[in-house]
Amino acid sequence: MGNQEIIDLSEQYVLHTYNRFPIAIDRGEGVRVRDADGKEYLDFMAGIAVFALGYHYPGYDEAVIGQIRKTIHTSNLYYHEPLAEAAKALVLSTGLSKAFFTNSGAEAVEGAIKAAKKYAWLKDGGSDHEIIAMNSSFHGRTVGALSVTGNEHYQEAFRPLMGGVRFAEFNDLESVKSLVGEKTCAILLETVQGEGGIYPAEPEFLEGIEAICRERDILLILDEIQCGMGRTGNMWAYQAYGVTPDIVTTAKALGCGVPVGAFVLGEKAAKASLVPGDHGTTYGGNPLATAAAAAVFRIFEEDHIVERAREAGDYLARKLDELKAAHSSVRAHRGAGLIRGLEFEEGTSASEIAGKALENGLLIITAGGNVLRFVPPLIVSRDEIDEACAILDRIIP
Ligand SMILES: *Cc1c(COP(=O)(O)O)cnc(C)c1O
């Protein structure tokens, strides 16, 4: 089937919950994909920050296929090696204590919320605990994750949502302080807000929140589903701050394409929260998903992927500064490592630019607030960055 045939068939049978770009992706190689008509594109969205290693990184396919040949499912009623290996890698890299694997990011957030509630419940037996989350955040589409997503448009039609959630302003410590009370069990935020427009947490903000959490025994939950796994040039974005969360959520790049997420608990939360009977999943942590995650961690270490991401990120930052200097329609450039945004002035639409980029052979997406979002594979080369920026230089007014 070619592009148009696939699009027509999809529009006939797939529930229309996405306004998709008008191509069907057929395959990928490295940092490039091909559509069903055979046209090639440079991929600077990486399946929404999923393909950290690009497509078919040496050793990755072999690990996944090898596991398929053994078994792809066991249920969580038995032990298996890929789960043990992936959990070890996740715990060692985060510096935390215990991992629980999920099938998606939203489920990782759900688990983190439950762990925080259970931690507080064990302390005081209360059933009215509150979570402080941030405006313009994104944590996923399930009801619990949606309840902590600070976006009126996403929430509106689905009320009543989970109660006990209060929203503070991101990067405004006073607004967080004003909401903290006896009932607060957790403060939840993205270390770098992704969907909301690529806003890194300011150091004073994150350090201030950590101090509040330590002082009042509140759990600090960092959602690194988008910004973790090397994307900022550190394995975990919080590691650039010297802050230690009580719970971290991850997903997107964790399996580099195989659906897998996780929440990881620090020692304090791991010792006094979820126990048998409290939480579970049939698929979560299955051998296929965790073999992929274990392979990703192994490749990251052997091939110094985080260092490469940091270097590529520095280079991309320079090129985006140049684009900003050359085009008055660019209002701001923000980000860290290989998660960056170009914000446009009113009158220039980031989504129109993304559409034109597609026509010119570049896959790139937007984020909230008229922002063009750059989340390429972490293995992107300088030449590929030059190529993408040259395309944008031609398109941006
Ligand atoms: C994508 C994302 C999620 C949701 O992950 P899904 O796998 O789509 O459920 C949650 N938090 C952040 C920060 C994300 O970027």
Side-chain angles (χ1 to χ4, degrees), residues 104-107 109 138-141 190 195 223 225-226 251-252:
S104 67
E107 282 170 88
V109 172
F138 184 81
H139 299 292
R141 303 296 199 146
E190 295 152 89
E195 303 297 315
D223 181 345
I225 289 168
Q226 186 157 169
K252 291 190 166 81

Side-chain angles (χ1 to χ4, degrees), residues 260-317:
V260 56
F263 60 99
V264 193
L265 307 179
E267 203 172 326
K268 187 171 82 172
K271 277 205 171 125
S273 64
L274 303 174
V275 295
D278 280 340
H279 198 55
T281 159
T282 300
Y283 282 138
N286 72 52
L288 178 66
T290 47
V296 168
F297 278 109
R298 181 175 50 72
I299 291 167
F300 263 57
E301 192 168 320
E302 283 173 8
D303 293 357
H304 309 288
I305 300 298
V306 180
E307 289 75 7
R308 283 175 68 174
R310 188 177 310 155
E311 279 163 29
D314 288 346
Y315 187 69
L316 178 61

Side-chain angles (χ1 to χ4, degrees), residues 129-183:
H129 294 118
E130 291 179 354
I131 294 171
I132 298 175
M134 301 297 144
N135 284 323
S136 302
S137 60
F138 184 81
H139 299 292
R141 303 296 199 146
T142 55
V143 174
L146 182 60
S147 302
V148 290
T149 289
N151 182 319
E152 173 61 24
H153 176 68
Y154 290 165
Q155 289 194 342
E156 203 176 10
F158 304 103
R159 300 216 163 90
L161 293 166
M162 180 181 78
V165 182
R166 296 166 147 254
F167 289 100
E169 263 333 292
F170 193 73
N171 279 335
D172 178 350
L173 191 57
E174 288 310 314
S175 81
V176 176
K177 280 185 180 161
S178 70
L179 296 179
V180 172
E182 286 305 309
K183 294 172 182 173

